[in-house]
Amino acid sequence: MNVVVRSGRLDEGERLKQIAVVAKAFWGDELDRVLDWADQGDFSPARLRELVVFVAEAEDHAVGWCSVIPQGETSWLEDLWVDPDWIGKGIGRLLFDRAAAHAEGVGAVRLEWEAEPNAIGFYERMGAKYIRDSEPREWGRTLSVMGVELRG
Ligand SMILES: CC(C)(COP(=O)(O)OP(=O)(O)OC[C@H]1O[C@@H](n2cnc3c(N)ncnc32)[C@H](O)[C@@H]1OP(=O)(O)O)[C@@H](O)C(=O)NCCC(=O)NCCS
């Protein structure tokens, strides 16, 4: 399987949104609810410009992506989504490693994010630990903020 991780492009917000929708719905949330959630998100070029986006490409199309917000000592992992057709093939790890390497490269000492409950096992495999509870998020959920220390 040939998967390449490249920087995101400002004109691919629609495809990134599609991947986020099918990935979020993968855990069984109602599609209408997930579509509403996605419509409240911002996938515009202006928003993508504010993020550091990495896209995993297989068979010449985008199959997963992540985004990072650098903010001093702690970089923030804002997104991590893998198209369900490609889940379980190592793409999540590739994207996570790229996000962590980027964070380290800009001088962060840790990477943190809010974890979807079904993805906690994946993040633990990435070496992450629970840090604190989030503020209430979509659908009134409180999520676990998780993080990894970066080697520096
Ligand atoms: C969570 C997600 C990003 C993982 O991506 P993936 O490509 O399936 O993960 P990988 O194949 O790289 O798995 C890496 C390791 O984590 C393990 N793993 C993957 N998903 C797991 C899960 N949900 N629970 C426990 N372990 C998991 C794998 O078995 C593998 O273990 P190994 O080190 O023994 O080989 C992907 O399932 C996804 O996008 N899910 C839907 C959206 C989502 O939840 N995103 C996260 C939002 S915070």
Side-chain angles (χ1 to χ4, degrees):
M1 192 179 69
N2 190 19
V3 180
V4 175
V5 177
R6 59 160 172 81
S7 293
R9 296 191 295 258
L10 298 183
D11 65 353
E12 64 186 333
E14 269 312 304
R15 175 63 186 144
L16 302 187
K17 181 178 178 181
Q18 280 175 1
I19 294 173
V21 165
V22 289
K24 196 167 181 73
F26 177 70
W27 301 124
D29 290 314
E30 218 177 283
L31 188 57
D32 282 351
R33 244 161 60 125
V34 174
L35 287 169
D36 281 349
W37 163 83
D39 284 342
Q40 287 163 37
D42 186 354
F43 299 85
S44 66
R47 174 60 179 159
L48 295 180
R49 200 188 302 276
E50 291 172 357
L51 305 170
V52 178
V53 178
F54 296 108
V55 174
E57 252 188 25
E59 297 171 358
D60 287 333
H61 68 283
V63 296
W65 65 287
C66 67
S67 74
V68 182
I69 303 174
Q71 38 190 33
E73 289 204 331
T74 305
S75 279
W76 184 256
L77 180 66
E78 178 74 356
D79 293 280
L80 176 57
W81 310 105
V82 176
D83 183 326
D85 288 346
W86 292 85
I87 276 176
K89 299 179 193 296
I91 291 174
R93 181 191 290 280
L94 276 178
L95 288 166
F96 183 89
D97 286 351
R98 180 61 73 89
H102 175 83
E104 211 172 324
V106 297
V109 297
R110 69 187 73 82
L111 178 65
E112 293 184 357
W113 59 91
E114 290 176 354
E116 149 66 42
N118 291 292
I120 285 175
F122 164 77
Y123 289 126
E124 287 173 345
R125 291 292 299 157
M126 301 300 105
K129 292 191 168 41
Y130 167 87
I131 296 180
R132 62 182 180 274
D133 282 352
S134 74
E135 297 299 312
R137 291 299 174 222
E138 69 270 13
W139 314 327
R141 300 191 307 179
T142 297
L143 301 175
S144 294
V145 175
M146 298 187 77
V148 286
E149 297 297 313
L150 304 169
R151 271 164 290 138

